[in-house]
Amino acid sequence: MTHTLVVGFNRPYLTAVNDQLPPRSVVVLEEPDIIRKRGIDVDVPDFECLEAIVPAAYQQAGDCVDVAAQLHERYGFAAALPGLEYAVPATAAVATKLGLPGAGESAAAVLRDKELLRQAASRAGIRNPRWARVRSAQDIVEFGAGGPVVVKPANRQASVGVQLLDRSEPEQAAAAWAATLAAGEYEQVPDRELQWRYLVEERLYGPEYSIEALVHEGEIVFENVTEKAVIAGSLPIELGHAVPAPFEADDLGMWRDAIRSLVDAVQFGTGMLHAEWILTPDGPALVECAGRCPGDRIADLIDLAYGTRIRVALIQLLAGRRPELPSEPRQGAAIRFLGAAPGRVLRVDGVDVARRLPGVREVAVRVSVGARAANWLSSWDRPGLVIATGADGRQARLRAGAAASAVRIVTEPQP
């Protein structure tokens, strides 16, 4: 039997591939502290495709490499892939150790470090915002000179700790610096001390997009451009995505050039890239790039739009095979995240109405009556979502937005 090694337990990924992979063909490595904090049951796996969940340290640690080598003797892994953002460097090291296709250790290191990514992109002539490493609020003040900036961790995930500032005067800089340092991910990181570093960047303005690309030995074999919407305010939390991005056909070449330049700049080997961009008046400017399957259900939108099983295709690539992939979408697909005022949930209205609207594929509310709807501080605080399809990305986006507007999560304030 062909086995796949996944570094980092990713429930949505396993759910999506469960019926496409052989039974008991996946082995997952996960941090012992995360297994405990997330209540992951290693003895009774929830997925037919799952053989085992094995404790091993991989976040800013290499213990998992030796563990993977030992497991390889038993299972003979055909592919190794990162299930989570923090697993990208360790997975690349595992692939090298086992002689399997992968991103490459140097590329993985660059993709997990926004400072290294800025350096590599700048050398390649890719448009970047002006940036600097910071160690204090005063550094932010000196860099920004009162103007708009972005303060962010160089090596965290999911926009955790990212602050968008309209002004970089001392008061605003101090508040942003404190919020960035205080940002936490209790269930996503182990209890041991991890090292975080921070950047300040020129704040850019314009429409936001991402490019998802499957790459085989440095050659792009599939690419998609996604339109992104974010909430207003100081936190760049995604409000929705549309696939394919609604733009003029002539613009596609610009985006293809951008992702090819990035693949070359980081010397990426085999795997998947999820690169985020802002379209400025001078062209696409790189925000960041992840070396793994995208989150926020973008992979599901790609499957709906293109008729693919993109996660399975990624596993096939990492096993040394070239899957057949479409070059054009069949339709559009979009997601819109639900909102709720912070407080205790009293009731949820409109779900049945939303599900009956044209093109709606899924309505999911993640908070129950009596639970607390949180203020949005990260992507994990969003209380639900709607997914819809349409003739193209624009229609899908409108349908998802209409369905999301039909759902009302009623709350009452709490102290």
Side-chain angles (χ1 to χ4, degrees), residues 128-205:
N128 280 293
R130 189 171 59 90
W131 61 276
R133 185 188 293 194
V134 290
R135 298 177 177 84
S136 68
Q138 183 58 33
D139 291 343
I140 299 170
V141 173
E142 293 175 0
F143 176 90
V149 298
V150 180
V151 181
K152 61 173 63 172
N155 57 342
R156 299 196 81 155
Q157 65 176 357
S159 299
V160 171
V162 179
Q163 301 286 318
L164 307 178
L165 279 68
D166 295 323
R167 296 181 295 163
S168 53
E169 295 170 358
E171 183 179 354
Q172 291 79 24
W177 181 244
T180 298
L181 293 180
E185 304 173 81
Y186 174 72
E187 292 186 352
Q188 312 297 325
V189 294
D191 291 339
R192 65 179 178 275
E193 184 176 356
L194 300 176
Q195 300 300 314
W196 308 118
R197 291 177 294 99
Y198 303 92
L199 302 178
V200 62
E201 298 178 349
E202 168 193 12
R203 185 171 177 182
L204 302 178
Y205 296 91

Side-chain angles (χ1 to χ4, degrees), residues 78-379:
L81 71 146
L84 302 168
E85 176 67 20
Y86 290 147
V88 169
T91 306
V94 166
T96 299
K97 177 78 170 181
L98 305 186
L100 298 174
E105 292 185 74
S106 62
V110 169
L111 294 171
R112 269 301 305 133
D113 188 310
K114 295 178 179 65
E115 183 175 4
L116 295 179
L117 181 62
R118 288 276 177 247
Q119 294 170 356
S122 296
R123 287 193 297 269
I126 296 171
R127 187 171 288 105
N128 280 293
R130 189 171 59 90
W131 61 276
R133 185 188 293 194
V134 290
R135 298 177 177 84
S136 68
Q138 183 58 33
D139 291 343
I140 299 170
V141 173
E142 293 175 0
F143 176 90
V149 298
V150 180
V151 181
K152 61 173 63 172
N155 57 342
R156 299 196 81 155
Q157 65 176 357
S159 299
V160 171
V162 179
Q163 301 286 318
L164 307 178
L165 279 68
D166 295 323
R167 296 181 295 163
S168 53
E169 295 170 358
E171 183 179 354
Q172 291 79 24
W177 181 244
T180 298
L181 293 180
E185 304 173 81
Y186 174 72
E187 292 186 352
Q188 312 297 325
V189 294
D191 291 339
R192 65 179 178 275
E193 184 176 356
L194 300 176
Q195 300 300 314
W196 308 118
R197 291 177 294 99
Y198 303 92
L199 302 178
V200 62
E201 298 178 349
E202 168 193 12
R203 185 171 177 182
L204 302 178
Y205 296 91
E208 298 191 35
Y209 299 88
S210 66
I211 306 176
E212 291 73 43
L214 286 176
V215 186
H216 178 259
E217 297 179 355
E219 176 192 355
I220 296 174
V221 296
F222 174 85
E223 58 200 348
N224 164 74
V225 184
T226 299
E227 179 190 64
K228 178 171 73 170
V230 299
I231 64 172
S234 63
L235 301 175
I237 300 171
E238 286 87 351
L239 183 60
H241 304 277
V243 173
F247 52 69
E248 299 299 324
D250 293 344
D251 291 339
L252 185 57
M254 171 184 68
W255 292 113
R256 286 176 171 169
D257 290 344
I259 192 62
R260 280 166 173 75
S261 296
L262 186 56
V263 169
D264 293 341
V266 303
Q267 297 183 313
F268 191 78
T270 298
M272 192 166 191
L273 292 177
H274 168 63
E276 299 181 355
W277 308 77
I278 291 176
L279 183 57
T280 72
D282 296 322
L286 181 64
V287 176
E288 60 185 52
C289 183
R292 40 88 182 155
C293 192
D296 263 7
R297 303 289 297 275
I298 293 174
D300 293 316
L301 302 184
I302 291 172
D303 287 347
L304 287 169
Y306 289 85
T308 57
R309 297 299 294 265
I310 204 70
R311 299 175 183 88
V312 175
L314 173 58
I315 293 173
Q316 292 171 337
L317 271 181
L318 292 169
R321 303 194 297 275
R322 288 278 298 261
E324 291 188 12
L325 292 160
S327 59
E328 301 290 338
R330 301 175 179 176
Q331 62 180 352
I335 187 170
R336 186 78 173 187
F337 293 97
L338 302 178
R344 187 173 70 89
V345 177
L346 298 178
R347 67 180 189 274
V348 179
D349 298 332
V351 171
D352 290 339
V353 172
R355 286 176 175 153
R356 291 194 295 269
L357 291 177
V360 172
R361 297 299 190 96
E362 181 180 349
V363 179
V365 178
R366 295 170 176 161
V367 290
S368 56
V369 173
R372 182 178 181 274
N375 192 23
W376 284 22
L377 298 177
S378 74
S379 301

